[in-house]
Amino acid sequence: MIPQLVTVRYRRSGGRRRRLYVPVVPVVLVLSPLLLLAVLGGVIACRVTRVKVSPLGALRGVGRLLWALPGTRFEYEEGRTALLVSVR
C-alpha cells in the first residue's frame, strides 16, 4: 500500500512539542511537475554515465521502496531536541 499520511513530531529544546500531519497524495499532486523533472533528470543521468541498469528498473526499485514505507518510523534525538517521523 502506498503511504497516505506522514506524521512528524518534534520537541524543541524548550520542551515544547509539536505535531505535523502531512497528507502524501495532495503533496505529490502539487509537486508532480518537479517529480516529472526529477525522473527525466535521472533518465538523462543514466544515459550520460552509461549505467548498465535500465532506467525503468531503477524507477521500479524506487517504486518498491515507496511501497514498503508504511509502518516505518524514523527517530532522532540530540540533547533536548527530538524528532519522530512516522509513515502510515
Side-chain angles (χ1 to χ4, degrees), residues 4 15 17 20 25-26 29 36-38 41 45-47 52 55 61 63 65 71-73 75 78-79 81:
Q4 300 294 320
R17 295 179 184 193
L20 177 65
V25 175
L29 288 176
L36 181 64
L37 287 175
C46 285
R47 294 292 180 196
K52 299 293 182 187
L65 177 71
T72 304
R73 293 172 51 117
E75 295 185 39
E78 179 71 33
T81 303

Side-chain angles (χ1 to χ4, degrees), residues 60-77:
R60 184 175 49 227
V62 170
R64 292 177 80 181
L65 177 71
L66 290 175
W67 198 266
L69 274 178
T72 304
R73 293 172 51 117
F74 302 98
E75 295 185 39
Y76 175 75
E77 192 167 339

Side-chain angles (χ1 to χ4, degrees), residues 26-86:
V27 170
V28 169
L29 288 176
V30 169
L31 296 178
S32 61
L34 294 177
L35 182 64
L36 181 64
L37 287 175
V39 169
L40 185 62
V43 169
I44 291 171
C46 285
R47 294 292 180 196
V48 168
T49 59
R50 297 182 182 163
V51 173
K52 299 293 182 187
V53 179
S54 71
L56 188 59
L59 191 60
R60 184 175 49 227
V62 170
R64 292 177 80 181
L65 177 71
L66 290 175
W67 198 266
L69 274 178
T72 304
R73 293 172 51 117
F74 302 98
E75 295 185 39
Y76 175 75
E77 192 167 339
E78 179 71 33
R80 294 174 49 189
T81 303
L83 174 70
L84 169 67
V85 177
S86 174

